[in-house]
Amino acid sequence: IAIDGMAGAPAFAMLAQQVTWLWTRPWRIEAADAARRAAILRAASAIVDLDAEIRRRHAETTAAAELAIIDRDFADITRQSMDLVRKRVDAGEASRLDLDRAIVEARKAEVTAETSEVDARAGRLALLAALGLPESRVDFEIVGSLDRRNEPIPNDSTVVALSATARLDVAAAGMDLLAAEARTGLARTRRIPEVAATLNWTRNVRSEEHTSELQSRQ
């Protein structure tokens, strides 16, 4: 509606409605709603996956750190044992073969300890990368332990229920299926011709006044 229409007329109105939209509206709404739900479920699935990845990295880092400590302690013990065997050899209480065996065990324990320390450092870097902090220092303190002896073990039904509720990607795929079904129903309506209704009303008052003025002058 305009206050100034054709040639300065004070009235101009027009109404248009696509009638086809009325019978395609349910499928359009259903498809859009299903697509929205699928997007929400995918976002939630990405959050759950990231949380699981960080928890897994944290557990691996904790295990690697604890293993590095154990291997380092074992390397120190084997080195002390090697020193004791060497003293026994010097005192004539052990053979050279015993010393060679102790040296081999000490060297193997040292290599294992160094490898565990490298693995622990790599695990810390992987954890920082998963957290989005790849440039942070790797000598941070790890909070937590792998000791789970006091925690109850879930039964089979609980594991199945958690697995069913945690598969958000499956739920998102189900929403995609509903959206596809709605789009299929919408495609069937394309066989129906599009129908539109239009209402137009125009009043040219200024031209009527101009005509009456010309008649009065004549």
Side-chain angles (χ1 to χ4, degrees):
I1 300 175
I3 59 174
D4 187 11
M6 299 175 58
F12 177 79
M14 181 175 182
L15 175 64
Q17 172 65 41
Q18 186 179 4
V19 184
T20 309
W21 173 263
L22 298 178
W23 58 70
T24 59
R25 181 174 180 272
W27 288 282
R28 295 179 186 273
I29 294 178
E30 185 177 354
D33 184 67
R36 177 183 60 86
R37 291 176 180 270
I40 294 174
L41 289 172
R42 287 195 184 90
S45 179
I47 295 173
V48 173
D49 293 342
L50 179 59
D51 179 73
E53 176 67 16
I54 293 176
R55 289 177 180 272
R56 184 179 66 84
R57 293 290 185 182
H58 180 267
E60 291 178 351
T61 304
T62 304
E66 294 181 359
L67 181 60
I69 295 174
I70 295 173
D71 289 340
R72 176 53 60 186
D73 292 339
F74 182 73
D76 294 339
I77 293 173
T78 53
R79 186 176 62 254
Q80 295 174 5
S81 299
M82 180 188 65
D83 295 338
L84 292 175
V85 173
R86 181 177 285 111
K87 291 179 180 180
R88 291 182 60 191
V89 171
D90 295 339
E93 296 180 358
S95 64
R96 182 65 187 181
L97 180 60
D98 295 333
L99 179 59
D100 292 340
R101 290 175 178 173
I103 293 174
V104 171
E105 292 296 330
R107 297 294 183 268
K108 289 172 59 178
E110 183 67 24
V111 171
T112 302
E114 292 179 356
T115 303
S116 297
E117 291 172 355
V118 172
D119 292 341
R121 181 181 177 85
R124 289 171 178 265
L125 290 174
L127 177 59
L128 289 175
L131 291 171
L133 304 171
E135 299 180 356
S136 300
R137 298 173 59 89
V138 296
D139 55 349
F140 59 89
E141 180 183 0
I142 301 177
V143 180
S145 176
L146 295 180
D147 187 7
R148 298 293 186 268
R149 289 174 295 181
N150 296 327
E151 294 185 2
I153 300 176
N155 53 27
D156 295 340
S157 59
T158 303
V159 173
V160 172
L162 291 175
S163 300
T165 55
R167 293 304 304 270
L168 298 177
D169 55 340
V170 177
M175 290 295 104
D176 288 335
L177 180 60
L178 293 179
E181 291 178 353
R183 287 191 294 268
T184 302
L186 180 61
R188 294 193 185 100
T189 61
R190 294 179 180 175
R191 295 176 297 181
I192 304 175
E194 294 187 1
V195 181
T198 303
L199 176 63
N200 189 5
W201 175 73
T202 303
R203 183 183 180 187
N204 196 343
V205 179
R206 184 176 179 179
S207 61
E208 294 176 357
E209 292 178 352
H210 182 66
T211 303
S212 60
E213 183 179 355
L214 290 177
Q215 293 176 356
S216 62
R217 286 181 180 180
Q218 292 176 356

